[in-house]
Amino acid sequence: QKVSVEVLDHLEHLALVDFRDSEGVERLQNAIQFADQLHEVNTDAVEPMDSVLEDRCLYLREDDVTEGNCTKELLENAREKVEEYFVAPPGNIPLPKLEERDTFLQGS
Amino acid sequence: MAARGCGGAWRRGWQRGRTLPGPAPGPFPRGQRVVACNARGGAVPAGKSGLAPWVPVVGLEIHAQISSNSKLFSGSQVQFAAPPNSLVSFFDASLPGTLPVLNRRCVEAAVMTGLALNCSINKKSLFDRKHYFYADLPAGYQITQQRVPIAVNGSLSYSLCIDNKMSQMVTKTVRIKQIQLEQDSGKSLHDDTRSQTLVDLNRAGVGLMEVVMEPDMCCGEEAAAAVRELQLILQTLGSSQAVMAEGQLRVDANVSVHHPGEPYGVRTEVKNINSIRFLAKAVDYEIQRQIEELENGGTILNETRAFDSKLGCTVPMRDKEGKQDYRFMPEPNLPPLILYDAKSLPANMNHQQVINIDWIHERLPDLPSVKREKLVEQYGILPEHSFALLNEDGLAEFYENVVKQTRMKPKRVIGWVLNDLLSYLKQHSLTVKESPVSSFLLADLLNLLEKKEISSTAAKQVLAELWKGEGKTPLEIVKEQKLQLLQDQKELEQICQAVIDRQENE
């Protein structure tokens, strides 16, 4: 079962990944196939486990101020800054639609 | 518009926009009262003549910032105004290698709030990641509780006035779907001239309680009253200071309309509502807009709209294009949150690691509704009086202090506090704390009145003088302005005779 172009396009929008070429798409399909093996196990009436940590105790921290005040350090890696603010583009720039993108998926 | 319920046409009601007379001490917004709901149920206003009536449906999503010293998952400080990016830890900035550590105080705040709203507290709740890209969300996801939140299935009761006279109050209830813990995002400052956004992460990671109210409301007034009551409850609990102006309480409204008997219509989400007054306006505008659109043969898009307070209308929001897919997944770095009660308390655990729901329940303060009942019972005042007392910060204590220090009956004192004192405060935009007239001074004045040493009119004059805050006592003012009631028969006769004589001479 191949993954449709619509789904691949949707994924590119959501995760801002670029499947780039047929190898990338194939790697995705192989990963899905690998994970699909889980369907062979009968899980009727079994609660899904979403973390191996489920039996661990969730540690609760006291409400004390112990961090912060490191503006200079945080801004060190910022390519652009304005008076201690990080600088970002004016808004989200959505990925152009499939027809308008220069992408491998176009040809599929 | 009819005084009771929604007798008039919806459209007519909108255009007329009646104003509430006098000061509005109630829990609902002052100023324009655009729409009234039928006290017996949902509003069923008539559309254009001949068309079927519309039933508006309003649900709310409220984000309340938790009142705590540090953030939900990190130890950086929570504070409103601070130099940009100074209250940010490595985790808040989403630097690699950092992990979330849950703040105990935030959990307690959520449990308190859940209990106060009659919710079932989930002894096991889970954390999830909600993914979307935005400059003020450095991790690219928000940690929230989508699958199993901390509290579910509660209710909130609030009161409304049926008519403008405030003499008839009706109680309504809205169901609380759930309360969940989640992270706040940073703040974006849009600089359109330079085509850039400045990002301050001070707010990123602050704990939020999201309270989801079911669509049980039918107009702006109901939504506003429900939020006002929630605000009072949060402030009483101390779980949130809930000041809308400081962004500690944010409300998004979900609005739709449909004909009675038909399925619910398409709903829109309204954001950018900055005060309780604007909430009522935004909801009523959106209801009206949808009705007009549908009556003109148009359709309603399932979109997000922003409320423009200057224009008093809602407009489509730019950045929200298409339906968002948040790709929810369990937060892998946090095990389930387990809460205990008296029965399930584990024997060998460190106390600091254990949250006991029953222990919290026992220590809940009196909620506003309970406080109001006690005031009515104790002092014999009307329910609407107790509403007015609790609606203003510090006013209830002020009233009780006056009552303690005067022999005047509480039922008489209430008039002086609500009509005279409160209107002075409102006129000069002062809080009770800032009042130049203390409860001691007012009690002193009322004692003079009670002993019949001055008349009611004279008392108002003295109050006006006291308001100047020049440090004089009521008795001093009475003597200065010669306001004492004369009791001496002879003196009164002399004065009357003098007046009669003067009349004869003219």
Side-chain angles (χ1 to χ4, degrees):
Chain A
Q1 267 170 347
K2 293 192 82 186
V3 185
S4 72
V5 177
E6 286 76 41
V7 171
L8 291 169
D9 176 42
H10 188 52
L11 284 172
E12 286 198 344
H13 267 98
L14 286 180
L16 295 181
V17 295
D18 182 355
F19 286 106
R20 204 152 298 217
D21 54 26
S22 59
E23 201 189 319
V25 176
E26 213 179 298
R27 205 174 300 139
L28 175 70
Q29 308 213 120
N30 289 340
I32 296 173
Q33 224 176 320
F34 181 76
D36 275 345
Q37 290 177 95
L38 291 171
H39 288 314
E40 292 175 31
V41 183
N42 184 349
T43 54
D44 289 342
V46 178
E47 269 299 300
M49 178 180 82
D50 44 55
S51 168
V52 292
L53 298 174
E54 66 178 11
D55 289 332
R56 292 280 190 97
C57 223
L58 175 53
Y59 177 75
L60 295 171
R61 184 176 55 85
E62 277 302 310
D63 186 25
D64 299 318
V65 176
T66 55
E67 300 177 279
N69 260 310
C70 49
T71 319
K72 204 149 160 267
E73 273 174 288
L74 290 174
L75 289 171
E76 251 169 39
N77 280 341
R79 191 181 65 178
E80 268 187 78
K81 42 187 168 240
V82 169
E83 281 178 36
E84 300 183 324
Y85 286 96
F86 293 101
V87 179
N92 276 1
I93 303 163
L95 217 55
K97 292 206 179 75
L98 187 55
E99 310 83 73
E100 295 151 31
R101 272 199 334 269
D102 184 18
T103 164
F104 155 75
L105 290 181
Q106 273 249 48
S108 335
Chain B
M1 174 172 297
R4 226 167 279 263
C6 253
W10 200 267
R11 196 188 308 259
R12 264 185 265 134
W14 168 257
Q15 283 168 352
R16 259 204 263 151
R18 288 190 54 184
T19 323
L20 287 168
F28 38 84
R30 278 195 74 152
Q32 287 212 326
R33 168 127 136 228
V34 176
V35 160
C37 287
N38 186 325
R40 265 171 272 121
V44 186
K48 286 188 228 175
S49 55
L51 291 180
W54 292 103
V55 178
V57 175
V58 181
L60 299 175
E61 276 163 32
I62 299 156
H63 290 88
Q65 232 180 45
I66 297 175
S67 176
S68 60
N69 299 325
S70 56
K71 296 184 180 177
L72 182 59
F73 293 117
S74 69
S76 37
Q77 193 181 3
V78 176
Q79 196 179 291
F80 181 52
N85 293 306
S86 60
L87 308 176
V88 185
S89 68
F90 289 176
F91 171 77
D92 304 328
S94 188
L95 298 188
T98 55
L99 292 171
V101 186
L102 184 55
N103 178 338
R104 191 199 155 86
R105 157 69 189 162
C106 293
V107 181
E108 289 170 346
V111 172
M112 274 198 285
T113 307
L115 291 171
L117 295 176
N118 307 307
C119 294
S120 310
I121 306 294
N122 283 328
K123 293 228 192 72
K124 176 175 168 184
S125 61
L126 306 171
F127 290 100
D128 303 294
R129 288 186 183 179
K130 178 179 179 181
H131 299 81
Y132 63 94
F133 288 114
Y134 209 68
D136 59 24
L137 195 71
Y141 60 84
Q142 175 200 36
I143 300 180
T144 176
Q145 293 188 300
Q146 192 251 355
R147 288 167 296 156
V148 187
I150 191 167
V152 291
N153 296 337
S155 65
L156 169 67
S157 292
Y158 60 96
S159 291
L160 285 177
C161 284
I162 305 186
D163 56 27
N164 279 345
K165 281 180 257 149
M166 268 207 83
S167 50
Q168 274 177 289
M169 306 205 80
V170 62
T171 305
K172 298 216 163 194
T173 307
V174 55
R175 289 167 298 158
I176 305 289
K177 179 163 186 251
Q178 64 190 53
I179 299 176
Q180 64 208 46
L181 280 168
E182 56 184 40
Q183 292 174 303
D184 206 345
S185 66
K187 266 213 190 120
S188 297
L189 300 168
H190 297 288
D191 182 2
D192 293 322
T193 48
R194 283 180 203 79
S195 204
Q196 63 188 14
T197 298
L198 302 180
V199 178
D200 173 13
L201 296 177
N202 282 350
R203 202 184 66 181
V206 171
L208 294 177
M209 293 178 287
E210 177 171 340
V211 179
V212 182
M213 291 186 181
E214 299 276 23
D216 295 341
M217 295 159 283
C218 67
C219 61
E221 192 183 3
E222 288 195 353
V227 170
R228 177 64 181 135
E229 187 67 9
L230 175 65
Q231 191 179 41
L232 288 174
I233 290 175
L234 292 171
Q235 288 167 348
T236 303
L237 293 173
S239 55
S240 171
Q241 283 158 53
V243 175
M244 273 182 99
E246 288 185 11
Q248 292 165 339
L249 190 71
R250 285 166 248 157
V251 183
D252 299 331
N254 294 312
V255 180
S256 75
V257 297
H258 64 280
H259 291 302
E262 287 181 15
Y264 280 16
V266 174
R267 69 159 196 262
T268 60
E269 187 186 15
V270 182
K271 285 177 161 310
N272 194 39
I273 298 168
N274 299 325
S275 73
I276 294 189
R277 229 182 91 233
F278 287 151
L279 170 62
K281 279 195 175 166
V283 167
D284 289 335
Y285 173 87
E286 183 59 18
I287 290 172
Q288 181 63 18
R289 183 194 76 86
Q290 291 193 10
I291 289 177
E292 275 178 13
E293 182 71 32
L294 292 170
E295 285 187 344
N296 288 331
T299 52
I300 305 298
L301 294 169
N302 175 213
E303 59 176 348
T304 302
R305 299 175 71 89
F307 179 64
D308 184 325
S309 49
K310 290 198 196 100
L311 300 173
C313 65
T314 63
V315 294
M317 270 178 89
R318 260 178 310 118
D319 263 345
K320 301 259 174 172
E321 288 144 21
K323 206 157 184 266
Q324 284 273 33
D325 181 344
Y326 294 113
R327 297 182 296 154
F328 285 99
M329 68 176 249
E331 168 55 61
N333 295 322
L334 294 170
L337 172 61
I338 309 290
L339 304 172
Y340 301 93
D341 56 21
K343 272 188 252 174
S344 62
L345 216 50
N348 301 324
M349 257 176 93
N350 175 6
H351 276 223
Q352 195 271 338
Q353 289 300 311
V354 171
I355 292 186
N356 182 343
I357 301 168
D358 289 336
W359 190 90
I360 295 174
H361 208 347
E362 284 160 25
R363 282 156 187 77
L364 286 179
D366 274 349
L367 293 182
S369 51
V370 172
K371 278 196 206 167
R372 287 183 199 119
E373 268 173 36
K374 285 189 174 172
L375 286 171
V376 167
E377 220 188 277
Q378 201 177 347
Y379 301 114
I381 56 177
L382 297 173
E384 42 266 36
H385 293 156
S386 67
F387 255 101
L389 284 179
L390 256 65
N391 201 45
E392 191 68 35
D393 195 25
L395 193 59
E397 291 95 291
F398 188 97
Y399 170 71
E400 290 193 279
N401 284 337
V402 174
V403 166
K404 272 186 221 154
Q405 297 171 88
T406 177
R407 304 184 70 180
M408 181 182 280
K409 284 205 168 72
K411 274 196 213 182
R412 227 182 135 193
V413 175
I414 193 74
W416 285 93
V417 172
L418 288 183
N419 296 334
D420 300 272
L421 183 85
L422 189 59
S423 56
Y424 268 120
L425 289 175
K426 288 295 171 199
Q427 264 169 44
H428 296 94
S429 298
L430 293 173
T431 61
V432 172
K433 284 196 192 96
E434 297 165 341
S435 172
V437 178
S438 64
S439 58
F440 176 76
L441 281 179
L442 184 59
D444 206 10
L445 172 61
L446 295 181
N447 279 335
L448 290 177
L449 182 55
E450 182 68 11
K451 286 188 275 184
K452 297 208 168 87
E453 287 185 33
I454 53 174
S455 71
S456 192
T457 325
K460 287 199 206 276
Q461 243 178 281
V462 176
L463 184 58
E465 192 64 32
L466 281 174
W467 195 259
K468 295 182 191 163
E470 286 165 6
K472 301 186 203 156
T473 68
L475 196 57
E476 283 168 2
I477 298 171
V478 165
K479 291 209 174 112
E480 254 178 48
Q481 300 190 16
K482 297 200 182 12
L483 295 170
Q484 311 91 309
L485 280 178
L486 297 170
Q487 312 280 14
D488 186 326
Q489 182 85 348
K490 253 203 179 154
E491 215 182 330
L492 286 167
E493 275 178 12
Q494 278 177 340
I495 295 172
C496 292
Q497 190 61 51
V499 173
I500 295 171
D501 292 341
R502 258 202 307 266
Q503 284 283 64
E504 285 174 349
N505 288 341
E506 275 162 16

